[in-house]
Coordinates of all heavy atoms in Angstrom, one line a residue:
T1 N 0.8 -1.2 0.0 CA 0.0 0.0 0.0 C 0.9 1.3 0.0 O 2.1 1.2 0.3 CB -0.9 0.0 1.2 OG1 -1.9 1.1 1.1 CG2 -0.1 0.2 2.5
H2 N 0.3 2.4 -0.3 CA 0.9 3.6 -0.2 C 0.3 4.3 1.0 O -0.8 4.0 1.4 CB 0.7 4.5 -1.4 CG 1.5 4.2 -2.6 ND1 1.5 2.9 -3.2 CD2 2.5 4.9 -3.3 CE1 2.4 2.9 -4.2 NE2 3.0 4.1 -4.2
V3 N 1.1 5.2 1.6 CA 0.6 5.9 2.8 C 0.9 7.4 2.7 O 1.8 7.9 2.0 CB 1.3 5.4 4.1 CG1 1.1 3.9 4.3 CG2 2.8 5.7 4.1
V4 N 0.0 8.2 3.4 CA 0.2 9.6 3.5 C 1.0 9.9 4.8 O 0.6 9.5 5.9 CB -1.1 10.4 3.5 CG1 -0.9 11.9 3.5 CG2 -2.0 9.9 2.4
T5 N 2.1 10.6 4.6 CA 2.9 10.9 5.8 C 2.6 12.3 6.4 O 1.7 12.9 5.9 CB 4.4 10.9 5.4 OG1 4.7 12.0 4.5 CG2 4.8 9.6 4.7
D6 N 3.3 12.7 7.4 CA 3.0 13.9 8.1 C 3.2 15.2 7.2 O 2.9 16.3 7.6 CB 3.7 14.0 9.4 CG 5.2 13.7 9.3 OD1 5.6 13.1 8.3 OD2 5.9 14.2 10.2
N7 N 3.9 15.0 6.1 CA 4.1 16.2 5.2 C 2.7 16.8 4.8 O 2.6 18.0 4.5 CB 4.8 15.9 3.9 CG 6.3 15.8 4.2 OD1 6.8 15.6 5.4 ND2 7.1 15.8 3.2
C8 N 1.7 16.0 4.8 CA 0.3 16.4 4.4 C -0.2 17.4 5.4 O -1.0 18.3 5.1 CB -0.6 15.3 4.3 SG -2.3 15.7 3.7
E9 N 0.2 17.3 6.7 CA -0.4 18.2 7.8 C 0.0 19.6 7.5 O 1.1 20.0 7.1 CB 0.2 17.7 9.1 CG -0.3 16.3 9.5 CD 0.5 15.8 10.7 OE1 1.2 16.6 11.4 OE2 0.4 14.6 10.9
Q10 N -1.0 20.5 7.7 CA -0.9 21.9 7.5 C -0.9 22.3 6.0 O -0.7 23.4 5.6 CB 0.3 22.5 8.2 CG 0.3 22.4 9.7 CD 1.6 22.8 10.3 OE1 2.1 23.8 10.0 NE2 2.1 22.0 11.2
C11 N -1.1 21.2 5.1 CA -1.1 21.5 3.7 C -2.4 21.1 3.1 O -3.1 21.9 2.6 CB 0.0 20.7 3.0 SG 1.7 21.2 3.4
R12 N -2.7 19.8 3.0 CA -3.9 19.3 2.5 C -4.2 19.9 1.1 O -5.2 20.5 0.8 CB -5.1 19.6 3.4 CG -6.3 18.7 3.3 CD -7.4 19.1 4.3 NE -8.5 18.1 4.4 CZ -9.4 17.9 3.5 NH1 -9.4 18.6 2.4 NH2 -10.4 17.1 3.7
Y13 N -3.3 19.6 0.2 CA -3.4 20.1 -1.2 C -4.5 19.4 -2.0 O -5.0 20.0 -2.9 CB -2.1 20.0 -1.9 CG -1.1 21.1 -1.6 CD1 -0.1 21.0 -0.7 CD2 -1.3 22.4 -2.3 CE1 0.8 22.0 -0.4 CE2 -0.4 23.4 -2.0 CZ 0.6 23.2 -1.1 OH 1.5 24.3 -0.8
T14 N -4.9 18.2 -1.6 CA -5.9 17.4 -2.3 C -5.7 17.2 -3.8 O -6.7 16.8 -4.5 CB -7.3 17.9 -2.0 OG1 -7.5 19.2 -2.5 CG2 -7.7 17.9 -0.5
E15 N -4.5 17.4 -4.3 CA -4.2 17.1 -5.7 C -4.3 15.5 -5.9 O -4.7 15.0 -6.9 CB -2.9 17.5 -6.1 CG -2.6 19.0 -6.0 CD -3.3 19.9 -7.0 OE1 -3.8 19.3 -8.0 OE2 -3.4 21.1 -6.8
C16 N -4.0 14.8 -4.8 CA -3.9 13.4 -4.9 C -5.2 12.7 -5.2 O -5.3 11.7 -5.9 CB -3.4 12.8 -3.5 SG -4.2 13.5 -2.1
V17 N -6.3 13.3 -4.7 CA -7.6 12.6 -4.9 C -8.1 12.7 -6.3 O -9.0 11.9 -6.7 CB -8.7 13.2 -3.9 CG1 -8.2 13.2 -2.5 CG2 -9.1 14.6 -4.3
T18 N -7.6 13.6 -7.1 CA -8.1 13.8 -8.4 C -7.6 12.7 -9.4 O -8.2 12.5 -10.4 CB -7.6 15.1 -9.0 OG1 -6.2 15.1 -9.2 CG2 -8.0 16.3 -8.1
V19 N -6.6 11.9 -9.0 CA -6.1 10.9 -9.9 C -6.3 9.5 -9.3 O -6.0 8.5 -10.0 CB -4.6 11.1 -10.2 CG1 -4.4 12.4 -10.9 CG2 -3.8 11.0 -8.9
C20 N -6.8 9.3 -8.1 CA -7.0 8.0 -7.5 C -8.1 7.2 -8.2 O -9.3 7.7 -8.2 CB -7.3 8.1 -6.0 SG -7.4 6.5 -5.3
P21 N -7.8 6.1 -8.8 CA -8.8 5.3 -9.5 C -9.8 4.6 -8.6 O -10.8 4.0 -9.1 CB -8.0 4.3 -10.4 CG -6.8 4.1 -9.6 CD -6.5 5.4 -8.9
V22 N -9.5 4.5 -7.3 CA -10.3 3.7 -6.4 C -10.9 4.5 -5.3 O -11.4 3.9 -4.3 CB -9.6 2.4 -5.9 CG1 -9.3 1.5 -7.1 CG2 -8.3 2.8 -5.2
A23 N -10.7 5.8 -5.3 CA -11.2 6.7 -4.2 C -10.8 6.2 -2.8 O -11.7 6.0 -1.9 CB -12.7 6.8 -4.3
C24 N -9.5 5.9 -2.6 CA -9.1 5.4 -1.4 C -8.7 6.4 -0.3 O -8.2 6.1 0.8 CB -7.9 4.4 -1.6 SG -6.4 5.2 -2.0
F25 N -8.8 7.7 -0.7 CA -8.4 8.7 0.3 C -9.5 9.0 1.3 O -10.7 9.2 0.9 CB -8.0 10.0 -0.5 CG -6.7 9.9 -1.1 CD1 -6.5 9.5 -2.4 CD2 -5.5 10.1 -0.4 CE1 -5.3 9.4 -3.0 CE2 -4.2 10.0 -1.0 CZ -4.1 9.6 -2.3
R26 N -9.2 9.1 2.5 CA -10.1 9.5 3.6 C -9.4 10.7 4.3 O -8.2 10.8 4.2 CB -10.3 8.4 4.6 CG -10.7 7.0 4.0 CD -12.1 7.1 3.4 NE -12.5 5.9 2.9 CZ -13.3 5.0 3.6 NH1 -13.7 5.2 4.8 NH2 -13.7 3.9 3.0
G27 N -10.2 11.5 5.0 CA -9.6 12.6 5.6 C -10.5 13.4 6.5 O -11.7 13.3 6.6
D28 N -9.8 14.3 7.3 CA -10.5 15.3 8.1 C -10.0 16.7 7.6 O -9.5 16.8 6.5 CB -10.2 15.1 9.6 CG -8.7 15.1 9.9 OD1 -7.9 15.6 9.1 OD2 -8.3 14.5 11.0
G29 N -10.3 17.7 8.4 CA -9.9 19.0 7.9 C -8.4 19.3 8.0 O -8.0 20.4 7.4
E30 N -7.7 18.4 8.5 CA -6.2 18.7 8.7 C -5.4 18.0 7.6 O -4.4 18.6 7.2 CB -5.8 18.2 10.1 CG -6.5 18.8 11.2 CD -6.3 20.3 11.3 OE1 -5.2 20.8 11.1 OE2 -7.3 21.1 11.5
R31 N -5.8 16.8 7.2 CA -5.0 16.0 6.3 C -5.7 14.8 5.8 O -6.8 14.5 6.3 CB -3.7 15.6 7.0 CG -3.9 14.8 8.3 CD -2.7 14.1 8.8 NE -2.4 13.0 7.8 CZ -1.3 12.2 7.9 NH1 -0.4 12.4 8.8 NH2 -1.1 11.3 7.0
L32 N -5.1 14.1 4.9 CA -5.7 12.9 4.4 C -4.9 11.6 4.8 O -3.8 11.7 5.2 CB -5.8 13.0 2.8 CG -6.5 14.1 2.2 CD1 -6.7 13.9 0.7 CD2 -7.8 14.4 2.9
F33 N -5.6 10.5 4.6 CA -5.0 9.2 4.8 C -5.4 8.3 3.7 O -6.4 8.6 3.0 CB -5.5 8.6 6.1 CG -5.2 9.5 7.3 CD1 -6.2 10.4 7.7 CD2 -4.0 9.4 8.0 CE1 -5.9 11.2 8.8 CE2 -3.8 10.2 9.1 CZ -4.7 11.1 9.5
I34 N -4.7 7.2 3.5 CA -5.0 6.2 2.4 C -5.6 4.9 3.1 O -5.0 4.4 4.0 CB -3.8 5.9 1.6 CG1 -3.5 7.0 0.7 CG2 -4.0 4.6 0.8 CD1 -2.2 6.9 -0.1
D35 N -6.7 4.4 2.6 CA -7.3 3.2 3.1 C -6.5 2.0 2.4 O -6.6 1.9 1.2 CB -8.8 3.1 2.8 CG -9.4 1.9 3.3 OD1 -8.7 0.9 3.6 OD2 -10.7 1.9 3.5
P36 N -5.7 1.3 3.2 CA -4.9 0.2 2.6 C -5.7 -0.9 2.0 O -5.2 -1.7 1.2 CB -4.0 -0.3 3.8 CG -4.9 0.1 5.0 CD -5.6 1.3 4.7
D37 N -7.0 -1.0 2.4 CA -7.8 -2.1 1.8 C -8.3 -1.7 0.4 O -8.8 -2.6 -0.3 CB -9.0 -2.4 2.8 CG -8.5 -3.0 4.1 OD1 -7.4 -3.6 4.1 OD2 -9.2 -2.8 5.1
L38 N -8.2 -0.4 0.1 CA -8.7 0.0 -1.2 C -7.6 0.3 -2.2 O -7.7 0.2 -3.4 CB -9.6 1.3 -1.0 CG -10.9 1.1 -0.3 CD1 -11.6 2.4 -0.1 CD2 -11.8 0.0 -0.9
C39 N -6.5 0.8 -1.6 CA -5.3 1.2 -2.5 C -4.8 0.1 -3.3 O -4.6 -1.0 -2.8 CB -4.2 1.8 -1.6 SG -2.7 2.2 -2.5
V40 N -4.7 0.4 -4.6 CA -4.2 -0.7 -5.6 C -2.7 -0.5 -5.9 O -2.2 -1.1 -6.9 CB -5.1 -0.8 -6.8 CG1 -6.5 -1.3 -6.5 CG2 -5.2 0.6 -7.5
D41 N -2.1 0.4 -5.2 CA -0.6 0.7 -5.4 C -0.3 1.1 -6.9 O 0.8 0.7 -7.4 CB 0.2 -0.6 -5.1 CG 0.5 -0.6 -3.6 OD1 0.6 0.5 -3.0 OD2 0.8 -1.7 -3.1
C42 N -1.2 1.9 -7.5 CA -0.9 2.3 -8.8 C 0.2 3.4 -8.8 O 0.9 3.6 -9.8 CB -2.2 2.8 -9.5 SG -2.8 4.4 -8.8
G43 N 0.3 4.2 -7.7 CA 1.3 5.2 -7.6 C 0.9 6.5 -8.3 O 1.8 7.4 -8.3
A44 N -0.3 6.6 -8.8 CA -0.6 7.8 -9.6 C -0.6 9.1 -8.7 O -0.3 10.2 -9.2 CB -2.0 7.6 -10.2
C45 N -0.9 8.9 -7.5 CA -1.0 10.1 -6.6 C 0.4 10.6 -6.2 O 0.5 11.8 -5.8 CB -1.8 9.7 -5.3 SG -1.1 8.3 -4.4
V46 N 1.4 9.8 -6.2 CA 2.7 10.2 -5.7 C 3.2 11.5 -6.3 O 3.6 12.4 -5.6 CB 3.7 9.0 -5.9 CG1 5.1 9.5 -5.5 CG2 3.3 7.8 -5.0
P47 N 3.3 11.6 -7.7 CA 3.9 12.8 -8.3 C 2.9 14.0 -8.2 O 3.3 15.1 -8.5 CB 4.1 12.4 -9.7 CG 3.2 11.3 -10.0 CD 3.0 10.6 -8.7
M48 N 1.7 13.8 -7.8 CA 0.7 14.9 -7.7 C 0.9 15.7 -6.5 O 0.5 16.9 -6.4 CB -0.7 14.3 -7.7 CG -1.1 13.5 -8.9 SD -1.1 14.6 -10.4 CE -2.5 15.7 -10.1
C49 N 1.5 15.2 -5.4 CA 1.6 15.9 -4.2 C 2.7 16.9 -4.1 O 3.9 16.5 -4.3 CB 1.7 14.9 -3.0 SG 1.8 15.8 -1.4
P50 N 2.5 18.2 -4.0 CA 3.5 19.2 -4.0 C 4.5 19.1 -2.9 O 5.6 19.6 -3.0 CB 2.7 20.5 -3.9 CG 1.3 20.2 -4.2 CD 1.1 18.8 -3.8
V51 N 4.1 18.4 -1.8 CA 5.0 18.3 -0.7 C 5.5 16.8 -0.4 O 6.0 16.5 0.7 CB 4.4 18.8 0.6 CG1 4.2 20.3 0.5 CG2 3.0 18.2 0.9
H52 N 5.4 16.0 -1.5 CA 5.9 14.6 -1.4 C 5.4 13.9 -0.2 O 6.2 13.2 0.5 CB 7.4 14.6 -1.5 CG 8.0 15.3 -2.7 ND1 8.8 14.6 -3.6 CD2 7.8 16.5 -3.2 CE1 9.1 15.4 -4.6 NE2 8.5 16.6 -4.4
A53 N 4.1 14.0 0.1 CA 3.6 13.4 1.3 C 3.3 11.9 1.2 O 3.2 11.2 2.2 CB 2.4 14.1 1.8
I54 N 3.2 11.4 -0.1 CA 2.7 10.1 -0.3 C 3.9 9.2 -0.7 O 4.6 9.5 -1.6 CB 1.6 10.0 -1.4 CG1 0.5 11.0 -1.0 CG2 1.1 8.6 -1.6 CD1 -0.5 11.2 -2.1
V55 N 4.0 8.1 0.1 CA 5.2 7.2 -0.1 C 4.7 5.7 -0.2 O 3.8 5.3 0.6 CB 6.1 7.4 1.1 CG1 7.4 6.5 1.0 CG2 6.5 8.8 1.3
D56 N 5.3 5.0 -1.0 CA 5.1 3.5 -1.0 C 5.6 3.0 0.3 O 6.7 3.3 0.8 CB 5.9 2.9 -2.2 CG 5.6 1.4 -2.3 OD1 5.4 0.7 -1.3 OD2 5.6 0.9 -3.5
S57 N 4.8 2.2 1.0 CA 5.1 1.7 2.3 C 6.4 1.0 2.4 O 7.1 1.0 3.4 CB 4.0 0.9 2.9 OG 3.7 -0.2 2.1
F58 N 6.8 0.4 1.3 CA 8.1 -0.4 1.2 C 9.3 0.6 1.2 O 10.4 0.2 1.5 CB 8.1 -1.3 0.0 CG 7.2 -2.4 0.1 CD1 6.1 -2.5 -0.8 CD2 7.4 -3.4 1.0 CE1 5.2 -3.6 -0.7 CE2 6.5 -4.5 1.1 CZ 5.4 -4.6 0.3
D59 N 9.0 1.8 0.9 CA 10.1 2.8 0.8 C 10.2 3.7 2.0 O 11.0 4.6 2.1 CB 9.9 3.7 -0.4 CG 10.0 2.9 -1.7 OD1 10.7 1.9 -1.7 OD2 9.4 3.3 -2.7
L60 N 9.4 3.5 3.0 CA 9.4 4.3 4.2 C 10.7 4.2 5.0 O 11.2 3.0 5.2 CB 8.2 4.0 5.1 CG 6.8 4.4 4.6 CD1 5.8 3.7 5.5 CD2 6.6 5.9 4.7
E61 N 11.2 5.3 5.5 CA 12.3 5.2 6.4 C 11.8 4.6 7.7 O 10.6 4.6 8.0 CB 12.8 6.7 6.7 CG 13.2 7.4 5.4 CD 14.4 6.9 4.8 OE1 15.2 6.2 5.4 OE2 14.6 7.2 3.6
D62 N 12.8 4.2 8.5 CA 12.4 3.6 9.8 C 11.5 4.5 10.7 O 10.6 4.0 11.3 CB 13.7 3.2 10.6 CG 14.4 2.0 10.0 OD1 13.8 1.3 9.2 OD2 15.5 1.7 10.4
D63 N 11.9 5.8 10.7 CA 11.1 6.7 11.6 C 9.8 7.1 10.9 O 9.0 7.8 11.5 CB 11.9 7.9 11.9 CG 12.3 8.7 10.7 OD1 12.0 8.3 9.6 OD2 12.9 9.8 10.9
Q64 N 9.5 6.5 9.7 CA 8.2 6.8 9.1 C 7.3 5.6 9.1 O 6.1 5.7 8.7 CB 8.4 7.2 7.6 CG 9.1 8.5 7.4 CD 9.3 8.8 6.0 OE1 9.7 8.0 5.2 NE2 8.9 10.0 5.6
Q65 N 7.7 4.5 9.7 CA 6.9 3.3 9.7 C 5.6 3.4 10.4 O 4.6 2.8 10.1 CB 7.7 2.1 10.3 CG 9.0 1.7 9.6 CD 8.6 0.9 8.3 OE1 7.7 0.2 8.3 NE2 9.5 1.0 7.3
I66 N 5.6 4.3 11.3 CA 4.4 4.6 12.1 C 3.2 5.0 11.2 O 2.0 4.7 11.6 CB 4.6 5.8 13.1 CG1 3.4 6.1 13.9 CG2 5.1 7.0 12.4 CD1 3.6 7.2 15.0
W67 N 3.4 5.5 10.0 CA 2.3 6.0 9.2 C 1.5 4.9 8.6 O 0.4 5.1 8.1 CB 2.9 7.0 8.1 CG 3.4 8.2 8.8 CD1 4.7 8.6 8.8 CD2 2.7 9.1 9.6 NE1 4.8 9.7 9.6 CE2 3.6 10.1 10.1 CE3 1.4 9.2 9.9 CZ2 3.2 11.1 10.9 CZ3 1.0 10.3 10.8 CH2 1.9 11.2 11.2
I68 N 2.1 3.7 8.5 CA 1.3 2.5 8.0 C 0.1 2.3 8.9 O -1.0 2.2 8.5 CB 2.2 1.2 7.9 CG1 3.4 1.5 7.0 CG2 1.4 0.0 7.5 CD1 4.4 0.3 6.9
G69 N 0.4 2.2 10.2 CA -0.7 1.9 11.1 C -1.7 3.1 11.3 O -2.9 2.9 11.4
V70 N -1.1 4.3 11.3 CA -1.9 5.5 11.4 C -2.9 5.6 10.2 O -4.1 5.9 10.4 CB -1.1 6.7 11.5 CG1 -2.0 8.0 11.5 CG2 -0.3 6.7 12.8
N71 N -2.4 5.4 9.0 CA -3.3 5.4 7.8 C -4.4 4.4 7.9 O -5.6 4.7 7.7 CB -2.5 5.3 6.5 CG -1.9 6.5 6.0 OD1 -2.3 7.1 5.0 ND2 -0.8 7.0 6.7
E72 N -4.0 3.2 8.3 CA -5.0 2.1 8.4 C -6.1 2.4 9.4 O -7.3 2.3 9.1 CB -4.3 0.8 8.8 CG -5.1 -0.4 8.8 CD -4.3 -1.7 9.0 OE1 -3.2 -1.6 9.6 OE2 -4.7 -2.7 8.6
R73 N -5.7 2.9 10.5 CA -6.6 3.2 11.6 C -7.5 4.4 11.3 O -8.7 4.4 11.4 CB -5.9 3.4 12.9 CG -6.8 3.6 14.1 CD -6.1 3.7 15.4 NE -5.4 5.0 15.6 CZ -4.1 5.2 15.5 NH1 -3.3 4.2 15.3 NH2 -3.6 6.4 15.6
R74 N -6.9 5.5 10.9 CA -7.6 6.7 10.6 C -8.6 6.6 9.4 O -9.6 7.2 9.4 CB -6.7 7.9 10.5 CG -5.9 8.2 11.7 CD -6.8 8.8 12.8 NE -7.2 10.2 12.6 CZ -8.3 10.7 12.9 NH1 -9.2 10.0 13.5 NH2 -8.6 11.9 12.6
A75 N -8.1 5.9 8.4 CA -8.9 5.7 7.2 C -10.3 5.1 7.5 O -11.3 5.4 6.9 CB -8.2 4.9 6.2
K76 N -10.3 4.2 8.5 CA -11.5 3.5 8.9 C -12.5 4.5 9.6 O -13.7 4.2 9.7 CB -11.2 2.3 9.8 CG -10.4 1.2 9.1 CD -11.0 0.8 7.8 CE -10.1 -0.3 7.1 NZ -10.5 -0.4 5.7
E77 N -12.0 5.5 10.2 CA -12.8 6.4 11.0 C -13.3 7.6 10.2 O -14.2 8.3 10.7 CB -11.9 7.0 12.2 CG -11.3 5.9 13.1 CD -10.3 6.5 14.0 OE1 -9.8 7.6 13.9 OE2 -9.9 5.7 15.0
L78 N -12.7 7.9 9.1 CA -13.0 9.2 8.4 C -13.7 9.0 7.1 O -13.6 7.9 6.5 CB -11.7 9.9 8.2 CG -10.9 10.3 9.4 CD1 -9.5 10.8 9.1 CD2 -11.7 11.5 10.1
P79 N -14.4 10.0 6.6 CA -15.1 9.9 5.3 C -14.2 10.0 4.1 O -13.1 10.5 4.2 CB -16.0 11.2 5.4 CG -15.3 12.1 6.3 CD -14.6 11.3 7.3
T80 N -14.7 9.4 3.0 CA -13.9 9.5 1.8 C -13.8 10.9 1.3 O -14.8 11.7 1.4 CB -14.7 8.7 0.7 OG1 -14.7 7.3 1.1 CG2 -14.0 8.8 -0.7
V81 N -12.7 11.3 0.8 CA -12.5 12.6 0.2 C -12.2 12.4 -1.3 O -11.2 11.8 -1.7 CB -11.3 13.3 0.8 CG1 -11.0 14.7 0.1 CG2 -11.5 13.5 2.3
R82 N -13.2 12.8 -2.1 CA -13.1 12.6 -3.6 C -12.8 13.9 -4.4 O -12.4 13.8 -5.5 CB -14.5 12.1 -4.1 CG -14.9 10.8 -3.6 CD -16.3 10.5 -4.1 NE -16.8 9.2 -3.5 CZ -16.6 8.0 -4.0 NH1 -15.9 7.9 -5.1 NH2 -17.1 7.0 -3.4
D83 N -13.1 15.0 -3.7 CA -13.0 16.3 -4.4 C -11.8 17.1 -4.0 O -11.5 17.2 -2.8 CB -14.3 17.1 -4.2 CG -15.5 16.3 -4.8 OD1 -15.4 15.7 -5.8 OD2 -16.6 16.4 -4.1
R84 N -11.2 17.7 -5.0 CA -10.1 18.7 -4.7 C -10.7 19.9 -4.0 O -11.8 20.3 -4.4 CB -9.5 19.0 -6.1 CG -8.3 19.9 -5.9 CD -7.7 20.0 -7.3 NE -6.6 21.0 -7.3 CZ -6.4 21.9 -8.3 NH1 -7.2 21.9 -9.3 NH2 -5.4 22.7 -8.2
S85 N -10.0 20.5 -3.1 CA -10.4 21.7 -2.4 C -9.2 22.6 -2.2 O -8.1 22.1 -2.4 CB -11.1 21.4 -1.1 OG -10.3 20.6 -0.3
A86 N -9.4 23.8 -1.8 CA -8.3 24.7 -1.6 C -7.4 24.2 -0.5 O -7.9 23.6 0.5 CB -8.8 26.1 -1.2
P87 N -6.1 24.3 -0.7 CA -5.2 23.9 0.4 C -5.4 24.7 1.6 O -6.1 25.8 1.6 CB -3.8 24.3 -0.2 CG -4.0 24.6 -1.6 CD -5.4 24.9 -1.9
L88 N -4.9 24.3 2.7 CA -5.1 25.0 4.0 C -4.3 26.3 3.9 O -3.3 26.4 3.2 CB -4.5 24.2 5.1 CG -5.3 22.9 5.4 CD1 -4.6 22.1 6.5 CD2 -6.8 23.2 5.8
P89 N -4.7 27.3 4.6 CA -4.0 28.6 4.6 C -2.5 28.5 5.0 O -1.7 29.3 4.6 CB -4.8 29.5 5.6 CG -6.1 28.8 5.7 CD -5.9 27.4 5.5
T90 N -2.2 27.5 5.8 CA -0.9 27.3 6.2 C 0.0 26.6 5.2 O 1.2 26.4 5.4 CB -0.9 26.5 7.5 OG1 -1.8 25.4 7.3 CG2 -1.4 27.3 8.7
A91 N -0.6 26.2 4.1 CA 0.2 25.3 3.1 C 1.4 26.0 2.6 O 2.5 25.3 2.5 CB -0.8 24.9 2.0
P92 N 1.4 27.2 2.1 CA 2.6 27.8 1.5 C 3.8 27.8 2.5 O 4.9 27.5 2.1 CB 2.1 29.2 1.1 CG 0.7 29.1 1.0 CD 0.2 28.1 2.0
E93 N 3.5 28.2 3.7 CA 4.5 28.3 4.7 C 5.1 26.9 5.1 O 6.3 26.7 5.1 CB 4.0 28.9 6.0 CG 5.0 29.3 7.0 CD 4.4 30.0 8.2 OE1 3.3 30.5 8.1 OE2 5.1 30.1 9.3
R94 N 4.2 26.0 5.2 CA 4.6 24.6 5.5 C 5.4 24.0 4.3 O 6.4 23.3 4.5 CB 3.4 23.7 5.8 CG 3.6 22.2 5.8 CD 4.2 21.8 7.1 NE 3.9 20.4 7.3 CZ 4.7 19.6 8.0 NH1 5.8 20.1 8.6 NH2 4.5 18.3 8.2
R95 N 5.0 24.3 3.1 CA 5.7 23.7 1.9 C 7.1 24.3 1.9 O 8.0 23.6 1.6 CB 4.9 24.1 0.7 CG 5.5 23.6 -0.6 CD 4.6 24.0 -1.7 NE 5.1 23.6 -3.0 CZ 4.4 23.6 -4.2 NH1 3.2 24.1 -4.2 NH2 4.9 23.2 -5.3
A96 N 7.2 25.6 2.2 CA 8.5 26.2 2.2 C 9.4 25.6 3.2 O 10.6 25.4 3.0 CB 8.4 27.7 2.3
A97 N 8.8 25.4 4.4 CA 9.6 24.8 5.5 C 10.1 23.4 5.2 O 11.2 23.0 5.6 CB 8.7 24.8 6.8
L98 N 9.3 22.7 4.4 CA 9.7 21.3 4.0 C 10.7 21.3 2.8 O 11.3 20.3 2.5 CB 8.4 20.5 3.5 CG 7.5 20.1 4.7 CD1 6.1 19.7 4.1 CD2 8.1 19.1 5.6
G99 N 10.9 22.5 2.3 CA 11.9 22.6 1.2 C 11.4 22.3 -0.2 O 12.2 22.0 -1.1
Y100 N 10.0 22.4 -0.4 CA 9.5 22.1 -1.7 C 8.9 23.3 -2.3 O 8.0 23.8 -2.3 CB 8.4 21.0 -1.6 CG 9.0 19.7 -1.1 CD1 8.5 19.1 0.0 CD2 10.0 19.0 -1.8 CE1 9.0 17.9 0.5 CE2 10.5 17.8 -1.4 CZ 10.0 17.2 -0.2 OH 10.6 16.1 0.2
Ligands
LIG1 FE1 -2.0 15.8 1.3 FE2 -0.4 15.9 -0.7 FE3 -2.8 14.9 -1.0 S1 -0.6 17.5 0.8 S2 -4.0 16.0 0.5 S3 -1.2 14.1 0.3 S4 -1.7 16.2 -2.5

């Protein structure tokens, strides 16, 4: 599966949802998560994210492994996000801080 890491926080660009063929993104007002039971590992969302928040779980660094369980758990609790929306007001600052 692919996972959304903490780079999404304070950004929520939602470019990712526009290309997902299986609508596997779930989210709240702060960020999105990927439902691992729906994700088909196509990777289409990866280049869409301006802050490189989406990573193949096999490529996660050791200190990012936590996001596998967090995505699985939170995706089950949150509604599907299918539509693109404006990024959070904090997105430009956060993006700059991340170096993107
Ligand atoms: Fe988050 Fe990137 Fe999607 S910031 S909402 S994972 S495009």
